[in-house]
């Protein structure tokens, strides 16, 4: 119907390519804010640290503290419990890791209480002096290491620092 | 031929737009500049020079830090700033105090928190993530202590404005005349220029003050002049070393600094916005030019001759 | 959505799919080969601009709703949380708030273009009526959206507008209580407004699809107001109008971006940065600028029920436009007398907007009544009579004749048929 050939096909092509490229860059940069708005906001990021007072935790006692919306298990381990957990040979572990590598102070075990299987919170219990996950029966020992599947990995150790011997900042 | 006529038309349009905006803008500026008392004894706040005005406007860090000191030492004794958090004072685009400074500052406040394991509320030192604490636990307690609830300051600079009226407000939206600083203009005028002796014959009830910037309520304001708390009647500062950065302390300086600080408190993302805005305009300008060239290519021949059938 | 589809998918999968759901063919015939009159001017790009604005508003709105809390105690704070803490939250909110303004600006230009070129005349009456429905839905959406930040203007705007329904005889108070879910504007009101504000844009999108469908049955009107007679009169939608619309959308985006990034609160009210206080009404309450003409009409009538009815009538009259205008000539270009009345009508609308923004005084009420009178006289008296009395100029025989005629007559300054009207609306 209409015949729109031009004298300079190449210049026209370059112009088309440049315009399309600029358009794609524009569309991509518009999409980013729409995606990034779903990332954790500044309020959430500012609350990413939690301070835990260890004074009221008696030997043998477990406490659960909320950190970044997740439970953190803090256990005051008596020396006997530490000995036992450190005596376990690496060959028995699903995810081999020494207890020494998982704690800063032998007495205090601090782990994120999220089962590495599908994210449930384990309860105190099980056959290993540790935790038993109610969802699918994973078991953890007194070092938070997985001893019975289906969970594949040990309980995560969060970043933390001891401000004083009885006060720890997680995050 | 086609090009020249388009160009002529464009030029004509641009010229008439520029002339119109210049006229409107100039009139609005001259009206704003002639700020005397108007017929009703009111002060219409003038446009001030702000570092954060305009397309390339940025906050002056030192000014925000000084303004913060005024806010901290004077304003926040009565006013709340509930949307402001300590951490924002160290975030980019603001006064940019260091994180350590902000942490130390927050720790000087006692924050009510709880309940603890015993079910009781307790106080703890403030953290950077806390919102700015208010002297009063609630509106009612502020009202009983001060006689009125002082307005929350975190959005004050956007919640106040200056009405120049038609047609000047049109210019305020145009490039080169754009004005989003009417809030700080208003606050500056209110504290620096507004407090004055009431007109002859006017009785000011006790506990109220005459302020020629206040529009309603008979130009009466509950807030005593904040500058009068910092300067004697001759304008001498009570504390000559109030500013630690060496800036001489004058009434004008204090009013400007605190107005700038309140603008930042209300619009902490202004610098990000203007920086991104400039990039966006440049990008869109390039994209529009390219599209126009493509459009001309595609339509070449269509205008001048009928399509061959 | 009509017209011949010559589309043949290239791939085997495409052919397989097309036999089962011919959506590519539909797109192809609607937006690729669809024949558009070749003389459309830039006022015809506002349909594309409006589609863009609808998508932009839905995208920013859906993302804002991920952070907004429709609770009277939390709404104001959640908006401020978006402005301060959410990543790019300030950008999304300023785009959404200014987007409403841009949407209305574009829709007013779109409507006035339709009015000037007689785009509502047969066979496009249904197209026009669907447009009126979209306009009503837009007004409802914008009003309810303005309530959501729960500032002083939000609260008192909601109070005043919902109180319009209290003018209904006998049942008025029941209706308002039903709208509010209480005895005043409050938490239940905010919740239902949020729900409806989220729903209505999708209804708008649905009616827009019908609007485009109804457009593609007769095809676009054009500045000459004569229907295309041969293929000489039209050009395929792609690439001619895709590129033209695309260019216009980007130019419009520049205008939009200026306000979003440099004067984002220009169209807003300072008072809306004060949280809603049911005990104190602000000194002045004015609606957003795009409602000002109707607000002026409301205030010009000193009685409650007649005032409300007149205001609704001023919008409803658009729906009768196709039957009020009796002229056989479609395009205003060839109607010298109509042109004058049209531009006076535009000025009258702007004047009403100005009156609506002013405090009530004797002068504004008088001016408001004069303008209001012209508004209705234009629709109810001038348009019906003018069609009978006016002698129109010679209408060109065809679109291509119109284009060529203009080119031949005045090469230096292509005025008239193919060019834009001399005053930008």
């Amino acid at each position: 119907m209409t015949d729109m050939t031009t004298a300079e096909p190449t210049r026209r092509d370059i112009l088309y390519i440049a315009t399309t490229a600029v358009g794609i860059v524009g569309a991509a940069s518009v999409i980013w804010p729409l995606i990034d708005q779903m990332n954790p906001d500044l309020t959430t990021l500012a609350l990413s640290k939690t301070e835990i007072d260890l004074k009221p935790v008696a030997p043998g006692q477990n406490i659960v503290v909320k950190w970044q919306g997740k439970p953190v298990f803090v256990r005051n381990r008596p020396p006997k419990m530490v000995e036992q957990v450190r005596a376990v040979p690496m060959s028995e572990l699903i995810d081999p890791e020494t207890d020494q590598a998982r704690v800063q102070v032998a007495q205090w075990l601090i782990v994120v209480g999220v089962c590495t299987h599908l994210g449930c919170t384990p309860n105190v219990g099980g056959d290993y002096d540790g935790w038993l996950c109610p969802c699918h029966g994973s078991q953890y020992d007194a070092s938070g290491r997985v001893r019975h599947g289906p969970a594949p990995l040990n309980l995560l150790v969060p970043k933390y620092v001891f401000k004083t011997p009885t006060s720890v900042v997680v995050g | 031929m086609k090009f020249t006529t388009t160009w002529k038309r464009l030029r004509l349009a641009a010229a008439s737009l520029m002339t119109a905006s210049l006229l409107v803008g100039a009139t609005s500026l001259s009206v704003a500049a002639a700020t005397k008392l108007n017929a009703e004894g009111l002060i219409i706040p003038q446009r001030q020079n702000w570092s954060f005005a305009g397309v390339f406007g940025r906050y002056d860090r030192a000014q925000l830090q000084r303004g913060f000191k005024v806010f901290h030492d004077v304003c926040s004794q009565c006013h709340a700033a509930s949307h402001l958090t300590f951490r924002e004072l160290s975030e980019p685009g603001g006064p940019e105090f260091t994180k350590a400074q902000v942490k130390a500052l927050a720790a000087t406040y006692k924050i009510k928190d709880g309940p603890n394991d015993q079910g009781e509320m307790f106080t703890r030192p403030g953290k950077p993530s806390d919102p700015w604490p208010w002297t009063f636990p609630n509106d009612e307690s502020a009202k009983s202590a001060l006689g009125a609830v002082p307005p929350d300051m975190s959005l004050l600079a956007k919640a106040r404005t200056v009405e120049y009226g038609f047609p000047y407000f049109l210019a305020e939206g145009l490039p080169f005349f754009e004005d989003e600083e009417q809030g700080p203009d208003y606050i500056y005028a209110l504290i620096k220029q507004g407090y004055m002796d009431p007109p002859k014959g006017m009785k000011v009830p006790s506990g109220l003050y005459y302020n020629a910037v206040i529009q309603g309520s008979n130009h009466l304001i509950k807030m005593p002049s904040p500058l009068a708390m910092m300067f004697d009647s001759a304008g001498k500062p009570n504390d000559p070393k109030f500013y630690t950065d060496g800036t001489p302390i004058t009434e004008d300086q204090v009013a400007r600094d605190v107005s700038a600080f309140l603008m930042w408190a209300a619009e902490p993302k202004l610098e990000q916005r203007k920086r991104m805005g400039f990039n966006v305009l440049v990008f869109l300008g390039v994209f529009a030019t390219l599209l126009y060239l493509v459009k001309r290519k595609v339509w070449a021949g269509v205008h001048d001759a009928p399509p061959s059938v | 959505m009509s017209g011949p589809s010559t589309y043949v998918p290239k791939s085997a999968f495409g052919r397989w799919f097309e036999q089962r759901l011919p959506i590519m063919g539909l797109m192809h015939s609607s937006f690729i080969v669809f024949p558009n009159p070749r003389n459309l001017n830039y006022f015809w790009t506002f349909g594309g601009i409006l589609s863009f604005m609808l998508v932009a508003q839905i995208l920013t709105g859906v993302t804002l709703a991920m952070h907004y809390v429709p609770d009277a105690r939390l709404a104001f704070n959640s908006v401020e949380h978006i402005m301060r803490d959410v990543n790019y939250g300030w950008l999304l909110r300023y785009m959404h708030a200014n987007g409403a303004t841009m949407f209305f600006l574009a829709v007013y230009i779109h409507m006035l273009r339709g009015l000037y070129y007689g785009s509502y005349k047969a066979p496009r009456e249904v197209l026009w009526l669907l447009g009126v429905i979209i306009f009503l839905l837009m007004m409802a959406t914008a009003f309810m959206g303005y309530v959501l930040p729960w500032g002083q203007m939000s609260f008192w705007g909601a109070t005043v507008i919902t109180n319009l329904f209290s003018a209904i005889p006998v049942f008025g108070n029941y209706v308002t209580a039903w709208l509010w879910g209480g005895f005043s504007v409050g938490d239940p009101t905010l919740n239902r407004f949020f729900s409806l504000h989220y729903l209505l844009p999708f209804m708008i999108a649905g009616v827009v699809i019908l609007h485009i469908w109804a457009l593609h049955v007769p095809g676009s009107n054009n500045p000459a107001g004569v229907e295309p007679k041969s293929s000489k009169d039209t050009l395929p939608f792609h690439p001619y109008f895709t590129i033209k619309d695309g260019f216009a959308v980007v130019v419009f985006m520049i205008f939009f971006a200026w306000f979003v990034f440099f004067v984002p609160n220009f169209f807003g009210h300072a008072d809306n940065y004060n949280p809603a206080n049911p005990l104190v009404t602000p000194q002045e309450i004015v609606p957003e600028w795009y409602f000002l003409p109707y607000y002026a009409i409301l205030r010009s009538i000193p009685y409650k029920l007649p005032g409300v009815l007149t205001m609704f009538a001023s919008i409803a009259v658009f729906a009768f436009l196709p039957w009020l205008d009796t002229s056989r000539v479609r395009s205003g270009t060839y109607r010298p007398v109509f042109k004058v009345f049209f531009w006076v009508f535009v000025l009258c609308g702007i004047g009403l907007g100005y009156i609506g923004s002013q405090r009530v005084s004797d002068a504004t009420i008088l001016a408001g009544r004069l303008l209001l009178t012209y508004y209705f006289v234009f629709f109810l008296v001038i348009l019906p009579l003018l069609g009978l009395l006016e002698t129109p100029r010679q209408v060109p025989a065809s679109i291509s004749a119109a284009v060529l005629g203009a080119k031949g007559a005045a090469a230096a300054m292509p005025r008239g048929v193919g060019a834009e009207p001399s005053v930008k609306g």
Side-chain angles (χ1 to χ4, degrees):
Chain A
M1 180 173 79
T2 52
D3 184 13
M4 286 298 138
T5 51
T6 74
E8 308 156 280
T10 40
R11 233 191 91 189
R12 178 168 157 165
D13 288 350
I14 289 166
L15 189 60
Y16 286 179
I17 291 166
T19 310
T20 313
V22 171
I24 290 170
V25 169
S29 23
V30 167
I31 288 169
W32 174 243
L34 295 175
I35 295 170
D36 191 35
Q37 52 88 18
M38 280 169 72
N39 276 321
D41 62 43
L42 291 169
T43 329
T44 312
L45 294 176
L47 292 175
S48 56
K49 282 180 202 250
T50 299
E51 193 170 335
I52 307 170
D53 183 11
L54 300 175
K55 261 177 280 173
V57 189
Q61 195 190 349
N62 289 297
I63 61 163
V64 182
V65 181
K66 204 162 106 178
W67 170 68
Q68 293 190 346
K70 292 170 292 192
V72 167
F73 296 158
V74 180
R75 174 176 283 198
N76 186 345
R77 303 187 300 181
K80 216 177 133 195
M81 190 187 276
V82 177
E83 260 168 57
Q84 275 172 4
V85 87
R86 290 188 174 179
V88 178
M90 285 294 114
S91 57
E92 277 185 26
L93 297 176
I94 297 172
D95 178 17
E97 200 179 0
T98 64
D99 181 61
Q100 285 88 336
R102 294 176 54 80
V103 292
Q104 291 181 14
V105 177
Q107 182 190 6
W108 296 107
L109 174 73
I110 300 173
V111 288
V112 177
V114 174
C115 181
T116 56
H117 181 220
L118 290 170
C120 299
T121 296
N123 300 318
V124 173
D127 303 332
Y128 301 93
D129 211 5
W131 289 270
L132 167 69
C133 182
C135 290
H136 305 96
S138 299
Q139 296 196 29
Y140 300 89
D141 66 13
S143 184
R145 298 177 298 196
V146 61
R147 302 297 291 273
H148 186 283
L153 297 171
N154 301 332
L155 291 180
L156 192 78
V157 179
K159 249 173 61 179
Y160 62 87
V161 281
F162 279 91
K163 265 174 65 182
T164 68
T166 58
S167 165
V168 67
V169 176
V170 183
Chain B
M1 176 61 81
K2 178 72 197 19
F3 178 74
T4 41
T5 51
T6 314
W7 175 240
K8 261 188 201 158
R9 264 196 281 169
L10 262 177
R11 230 174 29 182
L12 190 72
S16 40
L17 192 74
M18 292 260 280
T19 324
S21 53
L22 275 173
L23 273 175
V24 176
T27 332
S28 87
L29 283 180
S30 61
V31 163
T35 298
K36 303 275 150 35
L37 293 183
N38 72 3
E40 296 153 46
L42 262 174
I43 289 179
I44 306 291
Q46 302 179 37
R47 275 183 89 156
Q48 303 294 329
N49 280 320
W50 301 106
S51 67
F52 45 88
V55 171
F56 300 102
R58 302 286 183 264
Y59 289 116
D60 174 350
R61 312 264 167 259
Q63 180 172 48
L64 292 191
Q65 297 201 358
R66 292 194 302 269
F68 170 73
K69 189 161 164 48
V70 179
F71 166 76
H72 174 270
D73 290 12
V74 185
C75 314
S76 73
Q77 303 301 319
C78 295
H79 288 272
S82 57
H83 299 286
L84 183 68
T85 53
F86 286 110
R87 66 178 159 80
E88 285 176 295
L89 292 165
S90 64
E91 279 166 12
E96 295 187 4
F97 288 107
T98 63
K99 288 216 155 115
Q101 281 174 315
V102 169
K103 213 170 163 185
L105 170 78
T108 61
Y109 286 84
K110 290 263 177 287
I111 307 289
K112 198 167 191 186
D113 203 345
N116 62 12
D117 294 347
Q118 285 77 47
E120 277 152 19
M121 303 302 278
F122 58 91
T123 55
R124 57 162 175 82
K127 293 185 288 190
S129 59
D130 286 321
W132 190 265
W134 193 21
T135 319
F136 302 98
N138 48 50
D139 282 3
E140 286 70 20
S141 110
K143 196 167 181 182
S144 82
L146 304 172
V149 186
D152 188 295
M153 277 192 139
S154 36
L155 292 175
L156 201 61
K158 285 200 288 189
R160 298 291 182 273
T161 188
V162 184
E163 302 281 354
Y164 294 125
F166 181 84
Y168 315 112
F169 79 86
L170 287 176
E172 294 158 20
L174 293 176
F176 304 108
F177 301 104
E178 78 275 12
D179 185 2
E180 59 162 348
E181 299 84 34
Q182 292 169 342
D185 288 345
Y186 177 89
I187 295 168
Y188 169 81
L190 183 110
I191 53 187
K192 176 66 184 36
Q193 302 164 336
Y195 288 96
M196 57 174 64
D197 294 331
K200 277 201 188 98
M202 180 174 173
K203 276 224 172 120
V204 177
S206 73
L208 289 174
Y209 303 87
Y210 184 81
N211 188 309
V213 173
I214 295 279
Q215 303 219 354
S217 55
N218 264 339
H219 317 319
L220 294 175
I221 187 172
K222 195 94 196 160
M223 174 174 76
S225 165
L227 292 176
M229 299 175 203
M230 303 174 70
F231 297 87
D232 65 15
S233 53
K236 281 244 175 67
N238 299 342
D239 176 7
K241 292 192 182 131
F242 182 80
Y243 284 146
T244 47
D245 67 350
T247 309
I249 174 168
T250 62
E251 293 188 335
D252 187 71
Q253 193 64 44
V254 167
R256 267 173 216 286
D257 292 348
V258 78
S259 305
F261 173 78
L262 290 176
M263 181 65 180
W264 168 78
E267 191 73 1
K269 296 289 192 281
L270 177 139
E271 291 194 8
Q272 253 173 292
R273 164 156 67 77
K274 292 194 170 177
R275 198 170 293 124
M276 185 192 283
F278 182 73
N279 295 341
V280 167
L281 285 189
V282 169
F283 173 86
L284 287 176
V286 170
F287 192 30
T289 311
L290 282 171
L291 280 171
Y292 179 69
L293 293 175
V294 172
K295 192 250 160 192
R296 261 194 25 198
K297 278 271 175 204
V298 168
W299 281 78
V302 174
H303 277 308
D304 300 321
S308 49
V309 185
Chain C
M1 309 219 170
S2 68
S5 175
T6 53
Y7 182 68
V8 181
K10 288 194 184 90
S11 69
F13 172 76
R15 284 190 293 277
W16 178 87
F17 193 86
E18 195 65 12
Q19 280 175 350
R20 284 151 183 84
L21 181 67
I23 190 162
M24 296 310 289
L26 180 68
M27 291 295 138
H28 187 260
S29 60
S30 305
F31 301 108
I32 305 285
V33 293
F34 188 80
N36 244 1
R38 64 202 299 265
N39 59 336
L40 296 187
N41 62 35
Y42 272 103
F43 284 108
W44 261 266
T45 62
F46 279 88
I49 289 171
L50 285 163
S51 312
F52 164 77
M53 283 314 306
L54 180 62
V55 172
Q57 287 301 81
I58 288 179
L59 281 179
T60 51
V62 167
T63 46
L64 285 169
M66 295 180 186
H67 306 279
Y68 172 76
V69 186
D71 178 312
R73 285 162 306 170
L74 302 172
F76 189 86
N77 288 353
S78 74
V79 171
E80 201 48 35
H81 166 67
I82 290 170
M83 291 294 290
R84 288 167 175 263
D85 303 328
V86 173
N87 303 318
Y88 297 105
W90 58 268
L91 175 62
L92 297 173
R93 175 168 176 254
Y94 277 153
M95 277 176 73
H96 198 70
N98 284 287
T101 272
M102 295 299 140
F103 210 145
F104 272 94
L105 188 67
V107 92
Y108 281 135
I109 295 175
H110 191 67
M111 289 164 72
L112 287 174
R113 188 269 288 151
L115 187 57
Y116 184 85
Y117 292 110
S119 299
Y120 45 81
K121 286 174 187 280
R124 296 186 180 81
E125 300 95 323
V126 173
L127 171 63
W128 177 262
L129 287 179
L130 289 166
V132 174
I133 292 172
I134 294 172
F135 182 53
L136 287 173
L137 288 172
M138 273 178 67
M139 290 171 84
T141 310
F143 160 64
M144 287 190 275
Y146 195 60
V147 175
L148 302 185
W150 212 238
Q152 274 288 67
M153 278 296 175
S154 301
F155 182 89
W156 292 101
T159 300
V160 169
I161 300 300
T162 48
N163 261 312
L164 292 179
F165 295 92
S166 70
I168 300 169
V170 187
F171 302 107
N173 290 336
Y174 297 103
V175 173
T176 49
W178 175 75
L179 284 173
W180 293 331
F183 306 109
S184 62
V185 173
D187 203 32
T189 327
L190 178 60
N191 260 292
R192 63 193 59 180
F193 278 18
F194 177 61
S195 168
L196 293 172
H197 181 71
Y198 205 115
L199 168 71
L200 289 184
F202 296 99
M203 295 178 64
I204 293 178
V207 186
V208 165
I209 290 172
L210 295 180
H211 192 64
I212 295 173
W213 190 0
L215 170 72
H216 283 194
V217 173
S220 286
N221 181 32
N222 62 79
V226 291
E227 299 294 339
K229 294 196 169 65
S230 70
S231 61
K232 273 196 284 186
D233 292 342
T234 62
L235 291 169
F237 196 83
H238 180 76
Y240 294 98
F241 296 95
T242 42
I243 189 68
K244 192 170 175 177
D245 283 0
F247 170 62
V249 167
V250 173
V251 170
F252 191 78
M253 280 165 83
I254 294 177
F255 183 70
F256 183 13
W258 166 258
F259 288 99
V260 168
F261 291 104
F262 296 105
V263 262
N265 294 304
F266 177 69
F267 295 105
H269 297 291
D271 247 323
N272 222 27
Y273 282 106
N274 293 319
N277 181 353
L279 303 181
V280 182
T281 307
Q283 295 262 319
E284 279 173 82
I285 35 175
V286 269
E288 292 289 81
W289 70 266
Y290 37 82
F291 292 140
L292 286 174
Y294 310 106
Y295 190 58
I297 291 175
L298 173 75
R299 293 197 307 189
S300 298
I301 308 279
Y303 306 101
K304 187 169 173 175
L305 182 60
V308 174
L309 289 178
T310 313
M311 189 186 74
F312 282 118
S314 68
I315 303 161
V317 74
F318 280 104
F320 298 95
L321 188 55
W323 299 277
L324 288 171
D325 183 355
T326 52
S327 171
R328 273 171 297 118
V329 173
R330 200 179 276 147
S331 171
T333 312
Y334 307 103
R335 300 181 61 191
V337 186
F338 166 82
K339 254 190 227 179
V340 177
F341 284 113
F342 170 83
W343 287 112
V344 174
F345 175 76
V346 173
L347 291 177
C348 161
I350 295 171
L352 279 170
Y354 173 63
I355 299 290
S357 73
Q358 296 301 301
R359 280 187 205 186
V360 182
S361 70
D362 288 349
T364 61
I365 288 187
L366 179 67
R369 284 180 193 166
L370 286 173
L371 292 170
L372 161 68
T373 309
Y374 180 78
Y375 185 101
F376 281 102
V377 166
F378 176 75
F379 282 111
L380 301 176
V381 179
I382 295 174
L383 283 182
L385 288 183
L386 205 57
L388 308 174
L389 302 177
E390 184 184 30
T391 315
R393 280 168 45 206
Q394 179 68 42
V395 176
S398 73
I399 290 173
S400 49
V403 178
L404 288 177
K407 286 285 157 189
M413 203 63 185
R415 258 194 54 81
V417 184
E420 287 91 333
S422 52
V423 187
K424 295 265 178 184

